[in-house]
Amino acid sequence: MAETERPGWRPWFDWAERALGARLEYATRTDEFAGFVTFSKRAEAAARRLYLEWTADALHRANIPAWSDLLRLSEQVSGLEKRVRDLSAQLEKRPRPRSSRRRPRSSAR
């Protein structure tokens, strides 16, 4: 891209990057920054958990299933499907007993 084709905001960005880039890079490598990021991620997780609890409670009051209900049902269905597959595999492995009974003939009328 030629110099004349640069967007108008680019010189301002370059100026700010030259002025602040090295200091910001240094700051992000400190233990304080790592502690701040850890704290903010924990706070975000707590806020998300609280939001999900409140919305689930509101949905339950309206007799509407919440995401947690759907997730639990999905896990139960997956467990049942696995159980059916296991039982089907066990049935296929069992030898089939030969019956001495004969099938009744259909009567032609």
Side-chain angles (χ1 to χ4, degrees):
M1 188 181 254
E3 185 69 28
T4 57
E5 296 179 35
R6 291 175 59 174
W9 55 265
R10 185 59 194 236
W12 292 99
F13 176 82
D14 291 342
W15 173 80
E17 184 180 30
R18 279 192 300 275
L20 302 173
R23 285 182 263 184
L24 288 173
E25 189 173 324
Y26 171 76
T28 58
R29 294 181 180 178
T30 62
D31 289 338
E32 290 83 6
F33 182 78
F36 172 74
V37 170
T38 301
F39 171 77
S40 64
K41 293 304 283 180
R42 287 181 180 162
E44 178 189 8
R48 179 177 290 120
R49 193 169 35 255
L50 188 59
Y51 167 77
L52 290 174
E53 288 173 5
W54 285 351
T55 55
D57 185 52
L59 289 170
H60 289 153
R61 289 174 192 256
N63 204 22
I64 299 172
W67 178 254
S68 57
D69 301 322
L70 299 177
L71 185 60
R72 188 171 42 253
L73 285 172
S74 176
E75 290 169 353
Q76 288 176 351
V77 168
S78 295
L80 289 172
E81 287 174 341
K82 182 184 181 313
R83 180 78 172 138
V84 167
R85 275 194 310 271
D86 293 345
L87 289 172
S88 296
Q90 287 177 7
L91 284 174
E92 288 177 6
K93 289 179 183 177
R94 291 175 81 184
R96 295 184 182 199
R98 294 190 176 246
S99 176
S100 59
R101 294 179 45 193
R102 298 175 86 186
R103 288 187 176 174
R105 293 185 182 185
S106 62
S107 58
R109 291 187 179 176

